[in-house]
């Protein structure tokens, strides 16, 4: 499909800006494993403090990159499937808000005024522009979404008896989740934290801010994941040379995500005081509910791939696996997606440990946790983003991929790296190695009283794996920027490979309408979260003034000074 | 609609989830694993102290601050049962005794509580595992079990 030049450019900016920033994120990923392994015993390196860098790493990799990509991919998906371009003014406003917000937050972080990590837990205080910038980034993504909703409503009026294309359904479900969950964090940031960080209100309820953050924080991980799921369902089977086993399964999975992605955020707060055990247990159990759509997806995708392998002449029980086009540079996207799926098997299983209520005590906030989520967000999510960003860039600029062979091996190299890296971190976590800690200064410093020799091997594994990940990241940058800078050889277009469906299925109206699902979503959310919020309001007995990360004494607010 | 295989898979997925949930309850019941108790807060939790309730039962009230725990060293006879209470006087801190699967968050204005039995002598490290500012990596305390008292 042909897209007008301004829309193409907006999408390209939404790919280019976050990937440019990602260079900082990946650089500091490498630095983190170096510090943590005790290779250097310093609080900062090349003018970048460990925790400042970790904030950049979390915000850029997990929030900026993922949000920009979801919007860019959403624009392309909606336009391609509904054959209608997004509105220029809305898209322009959206990208300006997102870029502007990102620049504000980046400034605050790079100036060292916001070293509070990407969770910005109060009462640690960041510069107001850090909060405002993040909020604008989010609002910008809403604007794009509102525009898609208008396009979709018009389309649906004309096509009321036609199934909404699965990719469009997935995109709309994803941004509905995103819109609802970000309302909580927008409230936290705009109503509670900005006035407090400006000194207009003296104190905040820490338990409440944490609970609002995690109302958003867990759904955030599904917001990362669903673009990858859309690719698994609608693109991967085609790349493999087969068909999608069942489209209905995809619809069911997406609607289950709509119901269950948000009301489980308290599973990040099992160790928090002020929230009752009943709420924690309920949300722990609901978390297992949200594993069901992932099981469904695993089966559907495996069945689709098996079909592809057999079409390519596979015999016997397992031979189909080896018939898939792993190293075919013409379908390099297959390599990115399949490696993500392989990592996700381990990511999903380790996630079940985290979700299991009291079992969470074994691993909460240890190195296990980053070990786990580099198998998810730095696994299927990140690899899908890398592969698709190259695919879209090449198509939207009409340029050939720079170094296509290198491009084909990037996901394999990355996967090997992550597997080693995560083994190290998860093992360390089981031995009590804390996350979010500059281990090189104390725990991995033989000169320090706190030195712990058990964590030498685990952090060394992290270093080895992290080094490989860094190398893969570097190769990706060469391919991505190389493609951007090369000469145009074709007409710019956007054409996604689209999987046909294996079963011919009748349209099931309930899986092609939003209203009843939205109502159910609201009801579940209400029941799961009203008690949690009430608990934080009732059980937290003292509000907290702001603190800078560098100073044990609170920041005196302007109100008190007067 | 869904075919036979898909229905089987959804059935199996539900069954597996049910199994996991059963395990979760088993861990609570048979293994007495649980998350922090939810207690109402009052100011007395901001006094760091150790108190002996009876011969084998102790209560330790920890106060986490940037960047240490108070009390920083606690002596407990082997075989004691100890209630740990944790609160924070400033930012959020972590409270992790890895060998005993004690894992709590220290939050200003709230108190976390768990109970542990120390059957084996040793030095148990209490590590802060939530980022709490530039001194976070220095923040560790000790529970010394079966040590001649000070
Ligand atoms: C070269 C590649 C990478 C390396 C070596 C790396 C390494 C690490 C390490 C060691 C940590 C833990 C630091 C600590 O807790 O003290 C960490 C945290 C994190 N990483 Fe990565 N990482 C890489 C790439 C990525 C990517 C691609 C993503 C996401 C798309 C990502 C997302 C995160 C997030 C969200 C955190 C948590 C930050 C926090 O705790 O505040 N990382 N990374
Ligand atoms: Cu979660
Ligand atoms: Cu601390």
């Amino acid at each position: 499909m042909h897209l007008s030049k301004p829309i193409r450019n907006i999408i390209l900016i939404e790919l280019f800006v976050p990937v440019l920033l990602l260079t900082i994120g990946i650089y500091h990923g490498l630095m983190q494993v170096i510090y943590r392994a005790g290779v250097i015993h310093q609080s900062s390196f090349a003018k970048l403090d460990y925790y400042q860098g970790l904030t950049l790493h979390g915000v850029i990799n997990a929030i900026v990159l993922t949000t920009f990509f979801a919007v860019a991919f959403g624009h392309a998906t909606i336009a391609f499937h509904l054959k209608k371009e997004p509105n220029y003014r809305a898209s322009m406003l959206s990208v300006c808000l997102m870029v502007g917000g990102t620049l504000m937050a980046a400034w605050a972080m790079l100036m060292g005024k916001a070293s509070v990590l990407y969770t910005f837990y109060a009462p640690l205080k960041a510069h107001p522009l850090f909060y405002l910038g993040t909020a604008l980034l989010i609002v910008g993504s809403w604007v794009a979404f509102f525009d898609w909703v208008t396009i979709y409503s018009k389309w649906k009026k004309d096509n009321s008896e036609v199934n909404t294309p699965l990719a469009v359904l997935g995109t709309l479900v994803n941004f509905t989740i995103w819109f609802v969950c970000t309302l909580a964090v927008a409230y936290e940031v705009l109503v509670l934290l900005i006035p407090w960080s400006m000194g207009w209100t003296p104190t905040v309820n820490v338990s409440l801010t944490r609970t609002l953050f995690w109302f958003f924080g867990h759904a955030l991980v599904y917001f990362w994941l669903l673009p990858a799921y859309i690719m698994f369902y609608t693109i991967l089977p085609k790349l493999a040379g087969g068909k999608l086993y069942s489209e209905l399964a995809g619809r069911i999975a997406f609607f289950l995500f709509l119901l269950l992605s948000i009301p489980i955020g308290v599973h990040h707060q099992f160790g928090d005081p002020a929230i009752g055990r009943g709420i924690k247990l309920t949300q722990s159990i609901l978390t297992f509910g949200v594993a069901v759509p992932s099981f469904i997806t695993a089966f559907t995708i495996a069945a689709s791939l098996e079909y592809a392998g057999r079409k390519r002449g596979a015999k016997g029980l397992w031979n189909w696996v080896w018939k898939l086009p792993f190293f075919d540079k013409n379908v390099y996207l297959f390599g990115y997606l399949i490696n993500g799926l392989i990592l996700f098997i381990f990511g999903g299983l380790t996630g079940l440990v985290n979700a299991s209520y009291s079992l969470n005590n074994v691993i909460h906030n240890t190195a296990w946790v980053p070990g786990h989520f580099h198998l998810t967000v730095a696994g299927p999510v990140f690899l899908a983003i890398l592969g698709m960003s190259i695919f879209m860039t090449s198509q939207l600029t009409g340029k050939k991929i720079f170094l296509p062979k290198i491009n084909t091996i990037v996901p394999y190299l990355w996967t090997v790296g992550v597997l080693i890296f995560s083994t190290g971190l998860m093992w360390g976590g089981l031995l009590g190695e804390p996350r979010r800690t500059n281990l090189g200064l104390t725990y991995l410093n033989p000169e320090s009283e706190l030195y712990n020799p058990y964590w030498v091997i685990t952090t060394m594994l992290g270093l080895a794996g992290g080094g490989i990940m860094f190398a893969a990241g570097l190769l990706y940058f060469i391919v991505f920027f190389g493609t951007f800078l090369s000469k145009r050889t074709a007409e710019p277009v956007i054409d996604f490979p689209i999987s046909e469906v294996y079963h011919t299925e009748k349209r099931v109206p309930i899986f092609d309408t939003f209203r009843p699902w939205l109502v159910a979503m609201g009801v579940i959310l209400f029941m799961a979260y009203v008690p949690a919020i009430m608990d934080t309001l009732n059980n937290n007995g003292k509000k907290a003034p702001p603190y800078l990360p560098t100073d044990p004494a609170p920041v005196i607010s302007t109100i008190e000074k007067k | 609609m869904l075919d036979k295989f898909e229905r089987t898979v959804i059935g199996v997925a539900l069954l597996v989830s049910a199994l996991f949930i059963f395990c979760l309850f088993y861990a609570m019941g048979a293994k007495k694993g649980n998350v922090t108790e939810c207690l109402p807060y009052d100011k007395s939790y901001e006094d760091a102290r150790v108190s002996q309730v009876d011969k084998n039962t102790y209560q330790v009230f920890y106060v986490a601050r940037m960047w240490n725990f108070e009390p920083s060293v606690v002596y407990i006879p082997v075989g004691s049962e100890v209630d740990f209470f944790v609160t924070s006087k400033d930012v959020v801190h972590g409270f992790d005794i890895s060998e005993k699967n004690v894992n709590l968050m220290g939050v200003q204005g709230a108190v976390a509580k768990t109970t542990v039995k120390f059957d084996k002598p040793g030095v148990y490290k209490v590590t802060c595992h939530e980022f709490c500012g530039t001194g976070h990596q220095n923040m560790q305390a000790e529970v010394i079990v079966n040590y001649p008292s000070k």
Side-chain angles (χ1 to χ4, degrees), chain B residues 64-69 90-94 127-133 135-137 139:
Chain B
R65 312 192 68 153
M66 294 158 97
W67 295 283
N68 54 55
F69 291 102
D90 41 50
V91 299
V92 176
H93 297 276
T127 309
C128 172
H129 62 7
E130 181 57 88
F131 171 66
C132 56
H136 163 56
Q137 65 284 334
M139 200 167 152

Side-chain angles (χ1 to χ4, degrees), chain A residues 218 221 264 267-268:
Chain A
H218 185 82
V221 317
I264 58 182
H267 71 204
H268 292 262

Side-chain angles (χ1 to χ4, degrees), chain A residues 502-513:
Chain A
Y502 176 71
H503 297 314
T504 36
E505 288 163 329
K506 270 217 331 267
R507 174 170 175 270
V508 187
I510 184 75
F511 293 113
D512 189 30
T513 177

Side-chain angles (χ1 to χ4, degrees), chain A residues 51 115 121 245-246 271-273 277 299 357 361 364-365 432 436-437 442 503 539-542 544 547 549, chain B residues 3 6 9 34-36 38 46 67 89-90 98 101 103 105 108-109 111 129-131 133-134 136-138 140:
Chain A
Y51 299 108
S115 301
Y121 289 141
Y245 189 73
S246 159
D272 269 41
R277 283 173 167 171
F299 170 80
Y357 195 63
N361 289 345
H364 175 68
N365 266 2
R436 302 186 138 178
T437 307
T442 49
H503 297 314
N539 298 333
N540 188 300
K542 188 174 144 228
Y547 294 80
Chain B
D3 75 8
E6 289 177 287
V9 163
N34 213 324
V35 302
T36 168
C38 178
E46 289 185 14
W67 295 283
K89 270 202 165 171
D90 41 50
S98 174
N101 294 332
N103 203 322
M105 302 308 289
Q108 193 170 166
V111 60
H129 62 7
E130 181 57 88
F131 171 66
T134 45
H136 163 56
Q137 65 284 334
N138 302 316
Q140 202 174 46

Side-chain angles (χ1 to χ4, degrees), chain A residues 51 115-117 121-124 206-207 210 245-246 248-249 252 270-277 280-281 284-285 288 292 295-296 299 352 356-358 361-362 364-366 430-432 434-438 441-443 450 503 508 539-545 547-552, chain B residues 1-3 5-6 9-10 13-14 16-17 20-21 24-25 27-28 33-41 43 46 65-67 86 88-92 94 96 98 101-113 125-140:
Chain A
Y51 299 108
S115 301
V116 295
L117 307 191
Y121 289 141
L124 276 176
V206 178
S207 299
R210 287 171 66 80
Y245 189 73
S246 159
L248 185 59
I252 296 176
F270 288 140
D272 269 41
I275 300 176
R277 283 173 167 171
K280 290 175 180 169
L281 189 59
S284 171
I285 291 168
F288 286 91
V292 171
F295 278 123
I296 296 177
F299 170 80
L352 292 174
S356 296
Y357 195 63
S358 58
N361 289 345
V362 182
H364 175 68
N365 266 2
T366 67
L430 294 176
L431 301 177
R435 70 182 283 204
R436 302 186 138 178
T437 307
N438 183 349
L441 279 178
T442 49
Y443 301 117
L450 303 184
H503 297 314
V508 187
N539 298 333
N540 188 300
K542 188 174 144 228
K543 294 181 167 192
Y547 294 80
L548 292 174
T550 44
D551 190 355
Chain B
M1 273 309 274
L2 301 172
D3 75 8
F5 295 110
E6 289 177 287
V9 163
I10 294 181
L14 289 172
V16 171
S17 304
F20 285 137
I21 293 172
L24 184 160
F25 279 102
M28 278 168 73
N34 213 324
V35 302
T36 168
E37 267 175 52
C38 178
L39 301 174
Y41 182 75
K43 265 229 141 187
E46 289 185 14
R65 312 192 68 153
M66 294 158 97
W67 295 283
V86 183
S88 163
K89 270 202 165 171
D90 41 50
V91 299
V92 176
D96 185 35
S98 174
N101 294 332
V102 171
N103 203 322
L104 305 170
M105 302 308 289
V107 173
Q108 193 170 166
V111 60
K113 180 199 171 191
K125 304 275 188 190
V126 179
T127 309
C128 172
H129 62 7
E130 181 57 88
F131 171 66
C132 56
T134 45
H136 163 56
Q137 65 284 334
N138 302 316
M139 200 167 152
Q140 202 174 46

Side-chain angles (χ1 to χ4, degrees), chain A residues 139-155:
Chain A
V139 173
S141 67
W142 290 351
V143 173
F145 171 50
F146 298 152
D147 178 42
W148 304 337
V149 171
T150 359
I151 296 178
Y152 172 72
S153 316
K154 279 209 199 89
W155 180 89

Side-chain angles (χ1 to χ4, degrees), chain B:
Chain B
M1 273 309 274
L2 301 172
D3 75 8
K4 184 174 99 223
F5 295 110
E6 289 177 287
R7 284 199 300 270
T8 318
V9 163
I10 294 181
V12 171
L14 289 172
L15 226 68
V16 171
S17 304
L19 181 71
F20 285 137
I21 293 172
F22 169 78
C23 295
L24 184 160
F25 279 102
Y26 179 78
M28 278 168 73
K31 302 280 171 198
K32 303 229 181 334
N34 213 324
V35 302
T36 168
E37 267 175 52
C38 178
L39 301 174
Y41 182 75
D42 69 69
K43 265 229 141 187
S44 69
Y45 291 114
E46 289 185 14
D47 283 334
R49 62 193 189 277
V50 184
S51 65
Q52 185 167 6
V53 179
D54 60 38
K55 189 160 166 293
N56 285 321
T57 319
Y58 289 77
Q59 292 190 318
V60 188
F61 296 84
Y62 277 99
V63 175
R65 312 192 68 153
M66 294 158 97
W67 295 283
N68 54 55
F69 291 102
E70 234 188 305
S72 63
V73 185
V74 173
Y75 300 87
I76 299 285
V78 79
S80 324
E81 201 166 72
V82 185
D83 292 334
F84 290 111
F85 298 83
V86 183
T87 190
S88 163
K89 270 202 165 171
D90 41 50
V91 299
V92 176
H93 297 276
F95 185 94
D96 185 35
I97 307 177
S98 174
E99 291 95 328
K100 301 306 281 181
N101 294 332
V102 171
N103 203 322
L104 305 170
M105 302 308 289
V107 173
Q108 193 170 166
V111 60
K113 180 199 171 191
T114 192
T115 304
V116 205
K117 188 148 193 242
F118 286 99
D119 290 320
K120 288 207 195 90
V123 178
Y124 294 84
K125 304 275 188 190
V126 179
T127 309
C128 172
H129 62 7
E130 181 57 88
F131 171 66
C132 56
T134 45
H136 163 56
Q137 65 284 334
N138 302 316
M139 200 167 152
Q140 202 174 46
E142 286 177 349
V143 177
I144 300 181
V145 176
N146 205 22
Y147 209 81
S149 64
K150 359 159 220 178

